Structures are given as structure tokens and as C-alpha cells.
Amino acid sequence: MIRRTVGALALTWLMAGCAGLLPPRQTAAPEPATSVARVYRDSIELAGRLSVQYQRDGREEAVHGSFTWSQTPQRTSITLLSPLGQTIAVIHVAPDHATLLQAGQAPQVAADADRLAATALGWPLPIAGLRDWLQGVAIDARGQRWSAPPVPGAEVLTQDGWRINYASWRDDAPAGAAAAPRRIDLTRQTAHAGPIAMRLVIDSWQPT
């Protein structure tokens, strides 16, 4: 019943106005750009827009909407919204469990936040990785910590198979501070949702 409800809600996101946000799918593994030193902040808050392409039962599906993200050293909270601003899902991640909330549904709780999100939404939302990726940091395919240089198109392939492309950077960083990502394109091949193409456009970003 939850999967049918989520599927129905996801259809409300299918609006052509956001279609331009979707990145092209790629197949070749990228050469990691030169890593640079980057200050990692334990607590941040941001808001932006989200577009996802994936497959369900062999058919192409798309999701468009917006999101808010709040993280501290111990917790992460994500709210997914439809293009009209309706709350689709709220995910709270604590050190030992994750909770997903949807209107009219009982809370869903699981130990693994990424698995919980993929099951409920029908497409993967890499919450654990995004805690780093939103700040331009990742663990690359060799297991090395990688920091993105603030240049358009900086790419890295992560240990868990996500290809990250930092397509653009914000230009409003305080003097002396590292630039924050403006647009992040993510792609990955998955068993249950086919090839994933996800784009995050960050409209506001601030440390807390």
C-alpha cells in the first residue's frame, strides 16, 4: 500500500518545467579532477531543487520537486516537496536509525537510511554520501578522500558507484572561504531502478 501511495504521489512531480534540470546520462568512468583542500563543516542547512530519472518496471519515470536539507554531526533531516510545495516525505536520520514520514501513513523506521529511502520512494537517495558530497567531498573509487576543486565539471567516481559531477559553483562565498557547489549531477546504474540520473540545484547554502 505504501509503495502504491508513494508511486501516486511521485506522479505529481512530473512537471515539464523542471525537465531541463536533468543531466545527460554517461557511461565512461571519469578521470578524477585534481583534489584540493576544502574545509568540511559539521553543520549546514540548504535548500534547492531536485530532478531524478529512473526506471520502474521497465518504464522511464521522472521526479521533479524541491528539498530542504539540515545536518549536524549526529543527525540529518531532509524534506522532499512537490513542485507546488506540498510535502511528499520527511526523513530524519539519527546515529542508530532513520525515520521516514508521509502524510496519512504510519512512520517507517529502519537502521539504514539509504535503503529506507529507496524502498519508500522507488529510487535511491544517497543520504549518507550526500552529507559529504554537498560540500564537495567524497571517497573515490580507490578509497581515498577527494575534495573537489571549484571548477565547472570537476568529477569523481565514488566507492559505491556514484558518478559525481560538480557542474557549477556558487559565487557568494565570503572572502577567503571555499566556494560551495551550485549544481551537482549524480549518475549510477542500479539493479532495481535502472540507470539513475539525478540533479541537485542548490539555491541557498549556509553553515550553522
Side-chain angles (χ1 to χ4, degrees), residues 81-208:
L81 303 108
S82 75
L84 298 179
Q86 299 169 318
T87 298
I88 301 300
V90 178
I91 305 169
H92 297 298
V93 184
D96 59 349
H97 70 281
T99 304
L100 187 143
L101 307 171
Q102 292 175 301
Q105 302 292 328
Q108 301 180 62
V109 180
D112 187 310
D114 289 8
R115 184 171 298 178
L116 174 62
T119 299
L121 300 173
W123 47 272
L125 179 63
I127 298 169
L130 284 169
R131 283 182 61 92
D132 287 342
W133 305 344
L134 290 169
Q135 299 196 53
V137 180
I139 302 299
D140 67 20
R142 297 169 296 179
Q144 302 296 314
R145 191 164 180 82
W146 179 87
S147 297
V151 296
E155 279 195 356
V156 66
L157 182 66
T158 71
Q159 257 190 331
D160 53 359
W162 284 97
R163 184 193 313 273
I164 309 172
N165 182 293
Y166 290 92
S168 64
W169 297 83
R170 299 180 61 84
D171 57 7
D172 56 358
R182 163 69 175 168
R183 196 189 93 194
I184 306 172
D185 294 343
L186 306 172
T187 55
R188 183 186 178 189
Q189 181 68 39
T190 69
H192 73 283
I196 302 295
M198 182 182 304
R199 176 166 292 177
L200 302 171
V201 177
I202 301 169
D203 296 318
S204 66
W205 192 106
Q206 62 181 5
T208 58

Side-chain angles (χ1 to χ4, degrees), residues 49-114:
R49 288 161 284 155
L50 169 73
S51 293
V52 185
Q53 281 184 335
Y54 66 104
Q55 292 181 356
R56 184 192 297 273
D57 299 327
R59 298 190 304 272
E60 295 290 333
E61 300 281 357
V63 168
H64 307 293
S66 60
F67 71 98
T68 63
W69 176 285
S70 176
Q71 79 178 53
T72 67
Q74 298 296 322
R75 297 183 180 275
T76 309
S77 294
I78 308 102
T79 300
L80 303 176
L81 303 108
S82 75
L84 298 179
Q86 299 169 318
T87 298
I88 301 300
V90 178
I91 305 169
H92 297 298
V93 184
D96 59 349
H97 70 281
T99 304
L100 187 143
L101 307 171
Q102 292 175 301
Q105 302 292 328
Q108 301 180 62
V109 180
D112 187 310
D114 289 8

